[in-house]
Amino acid sequence: MSTVSLPSYVAPMLPRAAPDYTVEPQDDELRLALADRLRQRPTGTFVKASRGGDVRLVLDAQDSAALPVYGAAGKVEGRLELAKTEGVTNVELKIEGRLHLREIAEGGTSSIKMSLGTALLWVRDPNASHSICPSFLNFVLNLPPTFTHEEKTYPLPPTFSVKLSGLPGFIATIEYHLSATINKPHAVPPLVPIVKSSLLGISIGTTTITTPFIYYPRTRPAAPIPVPLIPTTEGFVEAPEWRVCESAVVPKVAGVQEIRTRLYLPASRIFCVKQPIPFHLVLQSSAKSLAAFLPCVPYPTLMNTKQATRLQLMRQSTVDVRSGFTSTTKTDMWRVDCIGEGVFRLIADGTTTILFSGEVKIDSSVKVPGFRAAGLSVKDCVLLTVEPPDPHRSPFNHLRQIIPVRLTTDSADGAGVGAIPGIEVAVPTPPSDQDNWRA
């Protein structure tokens, strides 16, 4: 009887010790995902007292800011503190917004009122002779996501202000406030002329306490910024995470070929205001045409001079001024501002192809993304321009290429950082290529 020999035993290799934890990836590591991290909800309060100090409006879950701040579908909660409750018949709370348009020269105004919520905190029971208002009245109201004007529904816009110069000039503002009214009709002295006071709009015996607040809805891109494209001698290796926008600088003279441009942007075209916008640019033509185009090429050595080729982030604010003003006033007024400037880095300089990469750095003053609310709209675009330094002698025409983009308050990979529980961070839809631009 034969015996089968068993294989020799080999001890398994023990796994290496786990690497030390670091908050940010090391040089040989890549972040695949970042889980939402919710910081503790603010525990501070915002307090507004009436002129006489008899009423205090206390708002919970606030940081140490000059005004209360709420996000999309924000929960407005707090309490009213009444030092004197005798004679109070009812207590009401209101949240309102106002889109206000003021003409600078003539002084005309037009307003759109947004009624966002009311609550009757207490009302005296007429059948109970000893019905006394409590000294503390708690409340919770949720901000609505939309408002309606002239049978059209719009997302609730952020707090905002813009000045539009011209003849006439306008200032457009979006403001929000919370007010509480404490009614004491029996507190009116018998000698007060009630008829006269009512004609003047004075409500004797009523105390109203009001505070403005900041509405700041938060948004984020659906995906983080993609990894950069790989350069080749003919351009960049295209990837689905990047969108190519093609155009051409057309020549004015015979014998010169057009300069074909390929601008690469992240495909979503949705960017956080706190992060630069990456891009790649390819300039391609014959060797003769590229040589003639050299004065327009954004070489880094020329950055101290006025650039012929620029990539900018532009913001257009438009106001419909028809409502509330004379028919001679223009229907629309708008202004276009540069809110970001591109910085080019030379990647490859060939005979027929020149490659650049770079970033558009967004101005730190930009806090609010684009929106549309009734007669006011704000939208953004990336603008590629080529303006030859000497247009009369240059063999090329100018180029203006507009690519609509959308901005957000938060980044995609840091979506939960600093978030408050219950505050929604929405993902906007990509911008439309059909947007009407005046840039």
Side-chain angles (χ1 to χ4, degrees):
M1 182 176 178
S2 62
T3 303
V4 179
S5 61
L6 298 175
S8 58
Y9 174 75
V10 178
M13 294 182 64
L14 296 177
R16 292 181 298 173
D20 294 334
Y21 172 77
T22 57
V23 176
E24 297 298 326
Q26 301 293 324
D27 293 338
D28 59 343
E29 297 175 334
L30 178 67
R31 173 179 285 149
L32 299 179
L34 181 64
D36 284 354
R37 295 174 288 171
L38 298 178
R39 67 174 172 87
Q40 290 185 352
R41 194 180 190 200
T43 56
T45 57
F46 174 86
V47 180
K48 176 70 177 290
S50 63
R51 183 175 300 178
D54 294 340
V55 181
R56 290 192 352 140
L57 174 63
V58 181
L59 299 175
D60 296 330
Q62 294 296 319
D63 286 321
S64 55
L67 291 175
V69 181
Y70 297 101
K75 183 185 291 185
V76 182
E77 58 182 324
R79 65 185 181 275
L80 271 178
E81 299 178 357
L82 310 180
K84 299 177 182 180
T85 59
E86 298 84 4
V88 174
T89 56
N90 61 75
V91 180
E92 186 180 23
L93 195 71
K94 286 184 179 181
I95 301 178
E96 293 178 324
R98 190 176 299 274
L99 196 163
H100 191 70
L101 183 63
R102 181 170 65 87
E103 187 178 359
I104 298 174
E106 301 297 330
T109 61
S110 177
S111 292
I112 296 174
K113 184 179 177 181
M114 296 175 280
S115 297
L116 307 178
T118 61
L120 189 60
L121 302 186
W122 184 84
V123 61
R124 187 177 63 183
D125 185 354
N127 299 320
S129 57
H130 299 290
S131 179
I132 299 176
C133 179
S135 298
F136 295 89
L137 294 169
N138 296 319
F139 59 83
V140 177
L141 283 174
N142 290 321
L143 292 174
T146 61
F147 79 101
T148 302
H149 175 65
E150 294 183 348
E151 300 182 354
K152 290 184 179 180
T153 300
Y154 304 91
L156 200 62
T159 300
F160 186 75
S161 179
V162 63
K163 180 180 179 181
L164 290 90
S165 302
L167 292 174
F170 288 89
I171 296 177
T173 57
I174 298 176
E175 302 170 329
Y176 295 92
H177 66 268
L178 170 70
S179 62
T181 302
I182 301 93
N183 288 301
K184 292 184 179 182
H186 297 296
V188 181
L191 297 179
V192 171
I194 298 177
V195 176
K196 185 176 180 180
S197 65
S198 62
L199 290 175
L200 294 175
I202 303 172
S203 185
I204 304 296
T206 295
T207 300
T208 299
I209 183 169
T210 303
T211 180
F213 66 87
I214 305 297
Y215 180 62
Y216 187 62
R218 295 174 54 203
T219 52
R220 65 173 180 86
I225 296 294
V227 296
L229 293 176
I230 300 172
T232 68
T233 55
E234 296 299 319
F236 291 93
V237 178
E238 296 189 0
E241 296 83 11
W242 290 81
R243 171 174 174 166
V244 59
C245 306
E246 297 182 288
S247 190
V249 183
V250 181
K252 295 190 294 185
V253 297
V256 179
Q257 294 184 11
E258 67 179 14
I259 307 295
R260 296 181 298 278
T261 66
R262 297 201 301 275
L263 174 63
Y264 293 88
L265 293 172
S268 69
R269 293 177 292 147
I270 301 176
F271 309 104
C272 172
V273 296
K274 303 174 185 176
Q275 295 179 325
I277 301 174
F279 68 87
H280 302 289
L281 179 65
V282 179
L283 303 176
Q284 200 165 41
S285 190
S286 65
K288 176 184 175 181
S289 295
L290 272 186
F293 190 71
L294 283 180
C296 298
V297 174
Y299 284 120
T301 54
L302 303 176
M303 290 306 291
N304 291 330
T305 63
K306 183 180 179 181
Q307 291 295 296
T309 299
R310 302 174 71 183
L311 192 67
Q312 299 168 285
L313 180 63
M314 310 299 290
R315 166 158 288 189
Q316 177 179 291
S317 304
T318 306
V319 174
D320 182 352
V321 298
R322 288 175 298 177
S323 178
F325 297 97
T326 63
S327 59
T328 57
T329 304
K330 291 174 61 177
T331 299
D332 285 342
M333 289 192 66
W334 66 89
R335 63 177 292 168
V336 179
D337 299 293
C338 176
I339 59 173
E341 187 77 36
V343 177
F344 293 83
R345 297 190 304 273
L346 180 64
I347 302 299
D349 191 355
T351 351
T352 59
T353 305
I354 306 178
L355 307 183
F356 293 93
S357 292
E359 294 178 334
V360 177
K361 296 183 178 180
I362 304 176
D363 193 282
S364 59
S365 64
V366 178
K367 307 293 183 185
V368 176
F371 64 89
R372 180 176 179 82
L376 175 61
S377 68
V378 176
K379 51 188 177 182
D380 306 298
C381 78
V382 166
L383 176 64
L384 174 64
T385 57
V386 176
E387 298 284 351
D390 190 346
H392 299 291
R393 296 184 179 181
S394 174
F396 296 99
N397 288 301
H398 71 276
L399 169 69
R400 291 175 70 82
Q401 183 182 15
I402 293 173
I403 302 101
V405 299
R406 200 154 275 171
L407 300 182
T408 66
T409 59
D410 291 46
S411 62
D413 54 2
V417 178
I420 302 174
I423 297 298
E424 178 184 355
V425 182
V427 177
T429 57
S432 170
D433 291 326
Q434 307 303 319
D435 278 350
N436 181 24
W437 265 92
R438 300 180 174 95

